[in-house]
Amino acid sequence: MEKKRLALKKLLVAVEKELLHKPDRKTLDRLSLLVGFQDWDSFQDALHGDVSADENYK
């Protein structure tokens, strides 16, 4: 039983570590393409600034 508990604890630690891991720039750029932006920076500008998403379609 102790072996199973230790294995489960290791698995939980690995999953938590992966969840806290920040995705790399390439992944963020690809995700922003899915929502209609050219790259991560343009998505962030539209999200946090005064830039409209329509700027991406000119």
Side-chain angles (χ1 to χ4, degrees):
M1 184 68 159
E2 184 64 31
K3 250 180 154 175
K4 287 182 181 180
R5 202 166 81 186
L6 182 60
L8 185 59
K9 184 172 174 96
K10 281 185 177 183
L11 178 62
L12 182 60
V13 167
V15 168
E16 285 177 342
K17 185 177 179 182
E18 189 61 33
L19 287 175
L20 295 175
H21 183 267
K22 184 177 179 184
D24 63 355
R25 182 57 185 241
K26 188 176 180 180
T27 303
L28 294 173
D29 284 341
R30 287 181 177 170
L31 288 172
S32 63
L33 282 172
L34 289 173
V35 293
F37 291 90
Q38 296 299 315
D39 57 14
W40 182 248
D41 289 331
S42 61
F43 174 67
Q44 288 294 302
D45 288 343
L47 189 63
H48 299 293
D50 297 330
V51 178
S52 171
D54 294 334
E55 295 291 321
N56 289 317
Y57 299 105
K58 287 186 177 181

